[in-house]
């Protein structure tokens, strides 16, 4: 990693095309100031062939909201693939998000903006029923679980696919927190795990899971007659 000016260190994320997203991380600050492994795995997964249909990337022209974006690497990858992206995080992460958006704007083929969104608070000015909601490494403390689920519920529409990537951690309370999150989530959502062989060949790991999550059909007002 090369230095990137005082207080920052750089993480270069190479795209399949060879160009790099150049992401500044802060040497001091909270968990959102660095790129987590789950974000790298998710960003690289978005580039895989499973997202191509008829020669077009599935993100082209799609609306995307990322929650707990941190440095913004995942949302930036989606915007470089043609999506219209809103990256969100707490107020204190907005400067870093805007620096990284500005530093990578030449790679954006869709659009990208940063907004404050604290989980559990009313969602304002975000696209209704986005095509995708992206989440990397956001399941990690007990008090956030219910607010995060409220935000996911409020944002998710009929067509929305949530792509969630998380690192399975075995220390302390982490297993309990993960179990509780997925138990609550399964009330309203169906979950499909993406096998390793459908992920990026290099950026994947047994400990890092990628899930596609969709609202259960009974919550979409669809009644199946027998
Ligand atoms: C472990 S970091 C992951 C950051 C980034 N997604 C990545 O994987 O590199 C968790 C992120 O969630 C954000 N976060 C935590 N609690 C939050 C809350 N209550 N509302 C909104 N964002 C929150 C943090 O600020 C941080 O950016």
């Amino acid at each position: 990693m090369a230095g990137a000016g005082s207080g920052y260190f750089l993480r270069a994320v190479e795209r399949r095309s060879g160009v790099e997203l150049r992401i500044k991380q802060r040497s001091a600050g909270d968990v959102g100031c660095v790129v987590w492994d789950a974000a790298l795995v998710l960003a690289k997964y978005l580039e895989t062939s499973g997202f191509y249909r008829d020669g077009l990337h599935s993100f082209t022209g799609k609306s995307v909201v990322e929650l707990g974006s941190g440095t913004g690497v995942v949302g930036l990858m989606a915007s470089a693939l043609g999506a219209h992206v809103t990256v969100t995080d707490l107020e204190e992460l907005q400067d870093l998000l805007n620096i990284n958006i500005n530093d990578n704007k030449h790679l954006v083929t869709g659009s990208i903006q940063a907004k404050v969104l604290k989980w559990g608070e009313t969602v304002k000015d975000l696209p209704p029923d986005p095509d995708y909601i992206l989440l990397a490494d956001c399941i990690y403390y007990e008090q956030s679980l219910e607010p995060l689920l409220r935000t996911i519920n409020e944002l998710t529409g009929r067509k929305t696919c949530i792509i969630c990537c998380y690192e399975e951690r075995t220390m302390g309370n982490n297993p309990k927190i993960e179990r509780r999150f997925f138990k609550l989530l399964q009330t309203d959502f169906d979950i499909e795990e993406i096998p390793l062989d459908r992920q990026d060949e290099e950026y994947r790991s047994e400990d890092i899971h990628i899930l596609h999550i969709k609202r259960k059909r009974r919550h979409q007002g669809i009644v199946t007659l027998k």
Side-chain angles (χ1 to χ4, degrees), residues 18-204:
V19 296
E20 287 177 343
L21 293 170
R22 294 173 71 76
I23 305 295
K24 281 190 180 133
Q25 308 174 102
R26 273 211 194 102
S27 42
D30 208 348
V31 290
C33 296
V34 294
V35 173
W36 289 79
D37 287 348
L40 288 176
V41 168
L42 179 52
K44 294 298 292 179
Y45 170 63
L46 300 185
E47 283 200 302
T48 56
S49 57
F51 283 98
Y52 284 88
R53 297 274 179 280
D54 306 323
L56 253 194
H57 200 278
S58 310
F59 280 92
T60 309
K62 295 289 164 56
S63 56
V64 173
V65 176
E66 188 189 358
L67 302 178
S69 303
T71 61
V73 63
V74 175
L76 274 160
M77 179 66 90
S79 71
L81 293 167
H84 299 296
V85 181
T86 307
V87 285
T88 70
D89 210 302
L90 301 171
E91 179 73 51
E92 53 266 34
L93 269 301
Q94 299 298 307
D95 282 355
L96 186 60
L97 281 170
N98 281 309
I99 287 170
N100 283 325
I101 289 172
N102 195 47
D103 286 358
N104 292 281
K105 60 177 187 277
H106 56 291
L107 300 177
V108 173
T109 56
S111 63
I112 185 162
Q113 59 174 344
K115 281 195 188 286
V116 176
L117 173 58
K118 184 170 180 189
W119 304 331
E121 295 193 348
T122 306
V123 167
K124 281 185 267 172
D125 305 328
L126 288 176
D129 194 5
D131 294 293
Y132 294 97
I133 295 173
L134 304 176
L135 276 172
D137 214 345
C138 286
I139 309 158
Y140 65 103
Y141 67 102
E142 181 81 41
Q143 306 90 298
S144 72
L145 298 185
E146 288 183 18
L148 176 57
L149 282 161
R150 273 205 298 285
T151 294
I152 289 174
N153 248 307
E154 195 178 338
L155 270 174
T156 306
R158 286 169 179 239
K159 67 167 192 269
T160 308
C161 177
I162 302 161
I163 310 180
C164 169
C165 186
Y166 73 100
E167 180 163 356
E168 192 179 338
R169 297 185 171 100
T170 52
M171 302 285 284
N173 264 349
N174 283 301
K176 192 174 137 222
I177 289 169
E178 284 160 18
R179 272 198 307 277
R180 181 162 155 70
F181 179 80
F182 290 112
K183 184 164 180 252
L184 292 170
L185 187 74
Q186 274 166 330
T187 315
D188 293 330
F189 293 88
D190 290 321
I191 301 174
E192 177 201 0
E193 174 144 14
I194 304 302
L196 284 178
D197 63 8
R198 281 173 53 199
Q199 301 181 27
D200 184 87
E201 303 83 348
E202 190 181 345
Y203 289 84
R204 63 183 172 191

